[in-house]
Amino acid sequence: MTYPSSSLGRRKLPARFHAIVFPFILSIFMCGTVSAVSTAKGIGLTPDFVARWCSAWVISWLIAFPVLLLILPMVRRIVGWLVHAPSR
């Protein structure tokens, strides 16, 4: 079986991996952003900011990724109750 290629010529994962890849990438960006803001607010932009931020990011990501895997089905249902499905 061959997999489709992206515009960069790399092979793409099969669609069945969407449920894992989406929360994986979302959790990386969200935890990085939130932990950077929280760390900057807590200690300021000190010389050890990056080290402290990375430590906070890893801890928050280890919690956020499994939580996202658990709550995304519930969030999709809630959004379905609140938002009309797009017309096709």
Side-chain angles (χ1 to χ4, degrees):
M1 170 184 230
T2 60
Y3 298 114
S5 296
S6 70
S7 59
L8 300 174
R10 300 188 139 199
R11 293 190 316 179
K12 291 184 175 184
L13 293 170
R16 70 179 182 270
F17 289 103
H18 182 275
I20 298 292
V21 174
F22 181 83
F24 178 78
I25 293 172
L26 178 63
S27 65
I28 288 171
F29 284 108
M30 289 302 300
C31 287
T33 303
V34 172
S35 62
V37 170
S38 296
T39 303
K41 185 171 181 346
I43 66 166
L45 297 176
T46 61
D48 64 342
F49 170 80
V50 173
R52 288 183 171 208
W53 167 60
C54 287
S55 174
W57 174 81
V58 168
I59 293 166
S60 64
W61 182 81
L62 288 172
I63 295 166
F65 180 55
V67 168
L68 273 174
L69 291 174
L70 292 173
I71 68 166
L72 270 176
M74 179 180 60
V75 170
R76 286 187 182 109
R77 282 194 300 276
I78 292 169
V79 170
W81 292 332
L82 298 172
V83 178
H84 286 286
S87 302
R88 293 195 181 216

